[in-house]
């Protein structure tokens, strides 16, 4: 199933998207202000899937929002998690980083307020703040059943579904500070969508992640290339920290980011970044 948050006739609603992505059927949720989150919480608590008797609407007649317009807390993100991407940034982001990359994943967060929808504009922060804005196409895991100290054997039982995230990054700011959160959390720096696909419909461990800038192919990876796979990420992040329904884990980006090009190429006003993940759909945003 595919669950979307959208605005129709001035009202935020949650709906079930048809398998072809052409229509969305509004669901009767008591609290649509939080997007798909109440549905995830109810499902984690054992509630049946919601039903709807309302008429389906064409997706192009509604305004899609991020499926989780304001996630309940910071988004978990993983750095350097595709083998090919780790290689391309050896001379820049990871220069002088002698930690064993195979031991533990790099985990940082983005603030929830930077989430925007498919089709929304990403606002460049201005040259006084950053001149190195980059894209990162990523498969994002949405947690269903929460838990702490989750073992990798049962980790996939905690996955509600998947969506797409563009982990937009200010490279100069990312590298200026000891922690990455600032360079990853500028306003509008987390396009998310177009919807959440449930885990029974998509095998996130075997899918393809692609990205284009102004129509030119930049990234093309498969999640089989993850250094730390999804069960390992859930196991690691839940060590001593409770995960909650609706938590988001952005799993890292494949090779082909702007920083990795020779010479590096960063985003400018007017650029359009389009991300596709097989089994989910397309997330497209213009930078202004
Ligand atoms: Mg990333």
């Amino acid at each position: 199933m595919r669950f979307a948050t959208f605005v129709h006739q001035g009202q935020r609603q949650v709906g079930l998207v048809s398998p072809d992505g052409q229509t969305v059927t509004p669901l009767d949720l008591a609290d649509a202000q939080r997007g798909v989150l109440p549905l995830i919480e109810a499902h984690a608590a054992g509630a049946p899937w919601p039903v709807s008797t309302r008429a389906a609407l064409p997706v192009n007649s509604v305004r899609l929002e991020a499926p989780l317009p304001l996630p309940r807390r910071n988004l978990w993100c993983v750095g350097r998690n595709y083998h090919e991407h780790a290689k391309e940034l050896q001379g820049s982001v990871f220069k002088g980083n002698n930690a064993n990359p195979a031991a533990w994943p790099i985990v940082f967060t983005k603030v929830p307020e930077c989430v925007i929808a498919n089709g929304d504009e990403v606002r460049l922060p201005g040259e006084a703040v950053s001149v190195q804005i980059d894209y990162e196409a990523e498969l994002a895991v949405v947690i269903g059943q929460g838990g702490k100290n989750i073992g990798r054997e049962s980790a996939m039982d905690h996955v509600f579904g998947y969506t797409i995230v563009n982990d937009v990054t200010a490279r100069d700011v990312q590298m200026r500070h000891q922690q990455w959160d600032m360079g990853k959390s500028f306003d509008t720096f987390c396009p998310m969508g177009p919807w959440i696909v449930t885990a029974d419909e998509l095998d996130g461990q075997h899918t393809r992640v692609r990205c284009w800038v102004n129509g030119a192919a930049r990234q093309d990876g498969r999640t089989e290339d993850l250094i730390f796979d999804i069960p390992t990420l859930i196991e690691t992040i839940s060590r001593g920290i409770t995960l909650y329904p609706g938590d988001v884990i952005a799993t890292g980006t494949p090779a082909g980011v702007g920083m990795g090009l020779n010479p590096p190429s960063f985003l400018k006003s007017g650029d359009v970044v389009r991300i596709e993940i097989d089994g989910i759909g397309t997330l497209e945003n213009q930078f202004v």
Side-chain angles (χ1 to χ4, degrees), residues 90-111:
Q90 269 170 357
S92 53
V93 173
F94 302 121
K95 195 172 182 180
N97 181 340
N98 295 318
N100 179 2
W104 296 94
I106 297 167
V107 181
F108 61 95
T109 69
K110 291 172 93 80
V111 298

Side-chain angles (χ1 to χ4, degrees), residues 77-79 108 136 138 167 184 252-253:
C77 304
V78 182
F108 61 95
E136 294 189 354
E138 306 200 9
D167 176 20
K184 298 279 193 172
T253 199

Side-chain angles (χ1 to χ4, degrees), residues 1-276:
M1 280 165 287
R2 299 163 176 229
F3 295 109
T5 304
F6 61 95
V7 174
H8 180 61
Q9 295 178 338
Q11 288 227 305
R12 178 176 285 175
Q13 302 186 46
V14 170
L16 181 63
V17 179
S18 58
D20 63 6
Q22 296 299 305
T23 67
V24 58
T25 303
L27 299 170
D28 296 312
L29 289 194
D31 183 14
Q33 281 313 304
R34 298 192 297 149
V36 183
L37 182 56
L39 191 153
I40 298 170
E41 291 172 336
H43 185 67
W49 295 114
V51 291
S52 176
T53 53
R54 296 162 70 183
L57 305 163
V59 163
N60 62 17
S61 74
V62 305
R63 181 166 64 79
L64 285 177
E65 296 194 288
L68 299 169
L70 181 66
R72 60 183 305 149
R73 59 179 180 173
N74 284 32
L75 295 89
W76 302 101
C77 304
V78 182
R80 189 173 56 184
N81 201 28
Y82 281 77
H83 289 101
E84 285 301 314
H85 176 61
K87 282 181 206 160
E88 77 176 336
L89 294 189
Q90 269 170 357
S92 53
V93 173
F94 302 121
K95 195 172 182 180
N97 181 340
N98 295 318
N100 179 2
W104 296 94
I106 297 167
V107 181
F108 61 95
T109 69
K110 291 172 93 80
V111 298
E113 291 81 4
C114 67
V115 169
I116 61 169
N118 176 52
D120 284 352
E121 291 176 342
V122 179
R123 295 195 303 277
L124 298 167
E127 293 187 356
V129 178
S130 172
V131 293
Q132 297 188 349
I133 307 302
D134 209 349
Y135 52 86
E136 294 189 354
E138 306 200 9
L139 176 74
V141 173
V142 180
I143 295 294
Q145 186 85 51
K148 186 159 116 175
N149 300 325
I150 299 166
R152 55 169 290 119
E153 323 75 47
S154 61
M156 297 307 288
D157 298 339
H158 293 261
V159 177
F160 176 85
Y162 302 94
T163 189
I164 307 171
V165 153
N166 187 346
D167 176 20
V168 181
T169 303
R171 296 292 179 205
D172 38 8
V173 178
Q174 177 189 14
M175 289 183 287
R176 182 183 303 154
H177 303 276
Q178 290 293 314
Q179 308 268 328
W180 294 4
D181 298 39
M182 285 188 68
K184 298 279 193 172
S185 290
F186 290 169
D187 294 352
T188 73
F189 267 32
C190 191
M192 177 198 290
W195 37 64
I196 295 172
V197 177
T198 52
D200 58 343
E201 190 178 312
L202 172 66
D203 179 0
Q205 300 193 80
H206 299 90
T207 191
R208 186 180 188 186
V209 179
R210 286 178 289 173
C211 176
W212 294 259
V213 177
N214 302 327
R218 289 286 184 89
Q219 296 183 280
D220 186 358
R222 295 197 56 91
T223 52
E224 290 91 339
D225 188 42
L226 286 176
I227 297 173
F228 299 98
D229 64 11
I230 293 168
T232 303
L233 296 177
I234 292 172
E235 180 180 71
T236 303
I237 294 170
S238 73
R239 284 168 65 97
I241 300 176
T242 301
L243 290 178
Y244 293 96
D247 273 351
V248 176
I249 302 174
T251 56
T253 199
V257 297
M259 177 68 127
L261 299 175
N262 186 15
S265 174
F266 297 105
L267 295 168
K268 58 189 186 309
S269 185
D271 286 346
V272 175
V273 177
R274 179 162 62 93
I275 301 171
E276 277 187 36

